[in-house]
PDB file of all heavy atoms in Angstrom:
ATOM      1  N   PRO A   8     -58.531 -71.684  60.079  1.00 80.00           N
ATOM      2  CA  PRO A   8     -57.497 -71.682  59.034  1.00 80.00           C
ATOM      3  C   PRO A   8     -57.795 -72.750  57.987  1.00 80.00           C
ATOM      4  O   PRO A   8     -58.531 -73.707  58.257  1.00 80.00           O
ATOM      5  CB  PRO A   8     -56.219 -72.017  59.809  1.00 80.00           C
ATOM      6  CG  PRO A   8     -56.695 -72.807  60.979  1.00 80.00           C
ATOM      7  CD  PRO A   8     -58.033 -72.241  61.350  1.00 80.00           C
ATOM      8  N   ILE A  10     -57.590 -76.055  55.949  1.00 87.00           N
ATOM      9  CA  ILE A  10     -57.182 -77.384  56.394  1.00 87.00           C
ATOM     10  C   ILE A  10     -55.830 -77.761  55.807  1.00 87.00           C
ATOM     11  O   ILE A  10     -55.042 -78.472  56.434  1.00 87.00           O
ATOM     12  CB  ILE A  10     -58.259 -78.429  56.017  1.00 87.00           C
ATOM     13  CG1 ILE A  10     -57.945 -79.780  56.668  1.00 87.00           C
ATOM     14  CG2 ILE A  10     -58.380 -78.561  54.503  1.00 87.00           C
ATOM     15  CD1 ILE A  10     -58.013 -79.774  58.174  1.00 87.00           C
ATOM     16  N   ARG A  17     -48.838 -79.982  60.703  1.00 90.00           N
ATOM     17  CA  ARG A  17     -48.829 -81.320  61.307  1.00 90.00           C
ATOM     18  C   ARG A  17     -47.675 -82.163  60.784  1.00 90.00           C
ATOM     19  O   ARG A  17     -46.989 -82.846  61.553  1.00 90.00           O
ATOM     20  CB  ARG A  17     -50.160 -82.006  60.997  1.00 90.00           C
ATOM     21  CG  ARG A  17     -50.282 -83.421  61.552  1.00 90.00           C
ATOM     22  CD  ARG A  17     -51.312 -84.216  60.779  1.00 90.00           C
ATOM     23  NE  ARG A  17     -50.942 -84.388  59.381  1.00 90.00           N
ATOM     24  CZ  ARG A  17     -51.692 -85.033  58.493  1.00 90.00           C
ATOM     25  NH1 ARG A  17     -52.862 -85.527  58.857  1.00 90.00           N
ATOM     26  NH2 ARG A  17     -51.284 -85.164  57.237  1.00 90.00           N
ATOM     27  N   ARG A  42     -28.804 -84.277  75.621  1.00 98.00           N
ATOM     28  CA  ARG A  42     -28.462 -84.275  74.202  1.00 98.00           C
ATOM     29  C   ARG A  42     -29.411 -83.371  73.431  1.00 98.00           C
ATOM     30  O   ARG A  42     -30.548 -83.138  73.843  1.00 98.00           O
ATOM     31  CB  ARG A  42     -28.531 -85.694  73.620  1.00 98.00           C
ATOM     32  CG  ARG A  42     -27.418 -86.625  74.073  1.00 98.00           C
ATOM     33  CD  ARG A  42     -27.475 -87.937  73.318  1.00 98.00           C
ATOM     34  NE  ARG A  42     -26.406 -88.849  73.704  1.00 98.00           N
ATOM     35  CZ  ARG A  42     -25.183 -88.838  73.194  1.00 98.00           C
ATOM     36  NH1 ARG A  42     -24.873 -87.949  72.258  1.00 98.00           N
ATOM     37  NH2 ARG A  42     -24.263 -89.697  73.600  1.00 98.00           N
ATOM     38  N   PRO A  61     -40.610 -76.728  73.798  1.00 83.00           N
ATOM     39  CA  PRO A  61     -40.728 -76.637  72.333  1.00 83.00           C
ATOM     40  C   PRO A  61     -41.811 -75.676  71.863  1.00 83.00           C
ATOM     41  O   PRO A  61     -41.789 -75.231  70.715  1.00 83.00           O
ATOM     42  CB  PRO A  61     -41.048 -78.080  71.919  1.00 83.00           C
ATOM     43  CG  PRO A  61     -41.678 -78.680  73.136  1.00 83.00           C
ATOM     44  CD  PRO A  61     -40.977 -78.058  74.299  1.00 83.00           C
ATOM     45  N   LEU A  69     -33.854 -73.065  68.203  1.00 95.00           N
ATOM     46  CA  LEU A  69     -33.263 -74.173  68.949  1.00 95.00           C
ATOM     47  C   LEU A  69     -32.062 -74.789  68.235  1.00 95.00           C
ATOM     48  O   LEU A  69     -31.489 -75.765  68.727  1.00 95.00           O
ATOM     49  CB  LEU A  69     -34.316 -75.267  69.183  1.00 95.00           C
ATOM     50  CG  LEU A  69     -35.484 -74.893  70.105  1.00 95.00           C
ATOM     51  CD1 LEU A  69     -36.536 -75.988  70.086  1.00 95.00           C
ATOM     52  CD2 LEU A  69     -35.004 -74.636  71.520  1.00 95.00           C
ATOM     53  N   TYR A  71     -28.718 -76.115  67.102  1.00 97.00           N
ATOM     54  CA  TYR A  71     -27.545 -76.420  67.943  1.00 97.00           C
ATOM     55  C   TYR A  71     -26.397 -75.443  67.687  1.00 97.00           C
ATOM     56  O   TYR A  71     -25.810 -74.903  68.631  1.00 97.00           O
ATOM     57  CB  TYR A  71     -27.090 -77.857  67.675  1.00 97.00           C
ATOM     58  CG  TYR A  71     -25.967 -78.321  68.575  1.00 97.00           C
ATOM     59  CD1 TYR A  71     -26.230 -78.935  69.787  1.00 97.00           C
ATOM     60  CD2 TYR A  71     -24.629 -78.150  68.199  1.00 97.00           C
ATOM     61  CE1 TYR A  71     -25.198 -79.368  70.618  1.00 97.00           C
ATOM     62  CE2 TYR A  71     -23.593 -78.578  69.021  1.00 97.00           C
ATOM     63  CZ  TYR A  71     -23.884 -79.181  70.225  1.00 97.00           C
ATOM     64  OH  TYR A  71     -22.863 -79.594  71.046  1.00 97.00           O
ATOM     65  N   PRO A 100     -33.192 -97.510  82.867  1.00 93.00           N
ATOM     66  CA  PRO A 100     -34.345 -98.420  82.942  1.00 93.00           C
ATOM     67  C   PRO A 100     -33.978 -99.762  83.559  1.00 93.00           C
ATOM     68  O   PRO A 100     -32.855-100.252  83.406  1.00 93.00           O
ATOM     69  CB  PRO A 100     -34.757 -98.591  81.471  1.00 93.00           C
ATOM     70  CG  PRO A 100     -33.508 -98.307  80.687  1.00 93.00           C
ATOM     71  CD  PRO A 100     -32.775 -97.265  81.460  1.00 93.00           C
ATOM     72  N   VAL A 125     -40.331-107.790  87.032  1.00 94.00           N
ATOM     73  CA  VAL A 125     -39.644-106.592  87.514  1.00 94.00           C
ATOM     74  C   VAL A 125     -40.241-106.136  88.832  1.00 94.00           C
ATOM     75  O   VAL A 125     -39.513-105.810  89.799  1.00 94.00           O
ATOM     76  CB  VAL A 125     -39.737-105.456  86.463  1.00 94.00           C
ATOM     77  CG1 VAL A 125     -39.262-104.129  87.056  1.00 94.00           C
ATOM     78  CG2 VAL A 125     -38.920-105.810  85.236  1.00 94.00           C
ATOM     79  N   VAL A 136     -47.231-108.242  94.622  1.00 95.00           N
ATOM     80  CA  VAL A 136     -47.511-108.854  93.325  1.00 95.00           C
ATOM     81  C   VAL A 136     -48.266-110.163  93.518  1.00 95.00           C
ATOM     82  O   VAL A 136     -47.864-111.013  94.322  1.00 95.00           O
ATOM     83  CB  VAL A 136     -46.195-109.114  92.550  1.00 95.00           C
ATOM     84  CG1 VAL A 136     -46.484-109.815  91.218  1.00 95.00           C
ATOM     85  CG2 VAL A 136     -45.466-107.809  92.302  1.00 95.00           C
ATOM     86  N   GLN A 140     -49.722-117.540  88.703  1.00 93.00           N
ATOM     87  CA  GLN A 140     -50.805-118.229  88.010  1.00 93.00           C
ATOM     88  C   GLN A 140     -51.868-117.253  87.485  1.00 93.00           C
ATOM     89  O   GLN A 140     -52.616-117.592  86.550  1.00 93.00           O
ATOM     90  CB  GLN A 140     -51.480-119.249  88.950  1.00 93.00           C
ATOM     91  CG  GLN A 140     -50.599-120.424  89.337  1.00 93.00           C
ATOM     92  CD  GLN A 140     -49.662-120.101  90.492  1.00 93.00           C
ATOM     93  OE1 GLN A 140     -49.472-118.941  90.836  1.00 93.00           O
ATOM     94  NE2 GLN A 140     -49.067-121.132  91.081  1.00 93.00           N
ATOM     95  N   ILE A 145     -54.853-111.805  84.005  1.00 92.00           N
ATOM     96  CA  ILE A 145     -54.901-110.344  83.958  1.00 92.00           C
ATOM     97  C   ILE A 145     -54.783-109.859  82.521  1.00 92.00           C
ATOM     98  O   ILE A 145     -55.531-108.970  82.073  1.00 92.00           O
ATOM     99  CB  ILE A 145     -53.776-109.747  84.822  1.00 92.00           C
ATOM    100  CG1 ILE A 145     -54.058-110.007  86.307  1.00 92.00           C
ATOM    101  CG2 ILE A 145     -53.626-108.249  84.558  1.00 92.00           C
ATOM    102  CD1 ILE A 145     -52.962-109.548  87.224  1.00 92.00           C
ATOM    103  N   TRP A 165     -61.130 -95.789  63.421  1.00 72.00           N
ATOM    104  CA  TRP A 165     -59.805 -95.807  62.796  1.00 72.00           C
ATOM    105  C   TRP A 165     -58.974 -96.946  63.364  1.00 72.00           C
ATOM    106  O   TRP A 165     -59.111 -97.303  64.538  1.00 72.00           O
ATOM    107  CB  TRP A 165     -59.068 -94.483  63.039  1.00 72.00           C
ATOM    108  CG  TRP A 165     -59.691 -93.317  62.354  1.00 72.00           C
ATOM    109  CD1 TRP A 165     -60.676 -92.502  62.840  1.00 72.00           C
ATOM    110  CD2 TRP A 165     -59.391 -92.840  61.054  1.00 72.00           C
ATOM    111  NE1 TRP A 165     -61.002 -91.556  61.920  1.00 72.00           N
ATOM    112  CE2 TRP A 165     -60.226 -91.720  60.811  1.00 72.00           C
ATOM    113  CE3 TRP A 165     -58.489 -93.232  60.073  1.00 72.00           C
ATOM    114  CZ2 TRP A 165     -60.199 -91.008  59.633  1.00 72.00           C
ATOM    115  CZ3 TRP A 165     -58.451 -92.517  58.890  1.00 72.00           C
ATOM    116  CH2 TRP A 165     -59.302 -91.418  58.682  1.00 72.00           C
ATOM    117  N   ILE A 188     -29.998 -98.550  66.222  1.00 98.00           N
ATOM    118  CA  ILE A 188     -29.574 -99.946  66.111  1.00 98.00           C
ATOM    119  C   ILE A 188     -28.044-100.039  66.067  1.00 98.00           C
ATOM    120  O   ILE A 188     -27.436-100.904  66.715  1.00 98.00           O
ATOM    121  CB  ILE A 188     -30.202-100.585  64.856  1.00 98.00           C
ATOM    122  CG1 ILE A 188     -31.719-100.731  65.049  1.00 98.00           C
ATOM    123  CG2 ILE A 188     -29.568-101.941  64.560  1.00 98.00           C
ATOM    124  CD1 ILE A 188     -32.466-101.100  63.792  1.00 98.00           C
ATOM    125  N   ASN A 221     -41.792 -99.891  51.079  1.00 97.00           N
ATOM    126  CA  ASN A 221     -41.838-100.633  49.814  1.00 97.00           C
ATOM    127  C   ASN A 221     -43.220-100.532  49.175  1.00 97.00           C
ATOM    128  O   ASN A 221     -43.343-100.400  47.948  1.00 97.00           O
ATOM    129  CB  ASN A 221     -41.472-102.102  50.051  1.00 97.00           C
ATOM    130  CG  ASN A 221     -40.029-102.285  50.492  1.00 97.00           C
ATOM    131  OD1 ASN A 221     -39.202-101.401  50.304  1.00 97.00           O
ATOM    132  ND2 ASN A 221     -39.725-103.427  51.083  1.00 97.00           N
ATOM    133  N   ARG A 243     -44.004 -80.815  46.594  1.00 89.00           N
ATOM    134  CA  ARG A 243     -44.003 -81.368  45.236  1.00 89.00           C
ATOM    135  C   ARG A 243     -45.420 -81.471  44.694  1.00 89.00           C
ATOM    136  O   ARG A 243     -45.696 -81.116  43.541  1.00 89.00           O
ATOM    137  CB  ARG A 243     -43.358 -82.757  45.237  1.00 89.00           C
ATOM    138  CG  ARG A 243     -43.190 -83.369  43.843  1.00 89.00           C
ATOM    139  CD  ARG A 243     -42.735 -84.807  43.926  1.00 89.00           C
ATOM    140  NE  ARG A 243     -43.794 -85.671  44.405  1.00 89.00           N
ATOM    141  CZ  ARG A 243     -44.778 -86.146  43.633  1.00 89.00           C
ATOM    142  NH1 ARG A 243     -44.833 -85.802  42.356  1.00 89.00           N
ATOM    143  NH2 ARG A 243     -45.701 -86.940  44.133  1.00 89.00           N
ATOM    144  N   GLY A 296     -85.964 -54.323 -14.531  1.00 66.00           N
ATOM    145  CA  GLY A 296     -85.958 -52.942 -15.043  1.00 66.00           C
ATOM    146  C   GLY A 296     -85.663 -52.924 -16.529  1.00 66.00           C
ATOM    147  O   GLY A 296     -86.269 -52.163 -17.300  1.00 66.00           O
TER     148      GLY A 296
END
Side-chain angles (χ1 to χ4, degrees):
I10 189 65
R17 179 203 63 181
R42 288 187 179 275
L69 293 172
Y71 185 90
V125 169
V136 177
Q140 293 83 346
I145 291 176
W165 293 89
I188 291 169
N221 294 341
R243 185 188 71 81

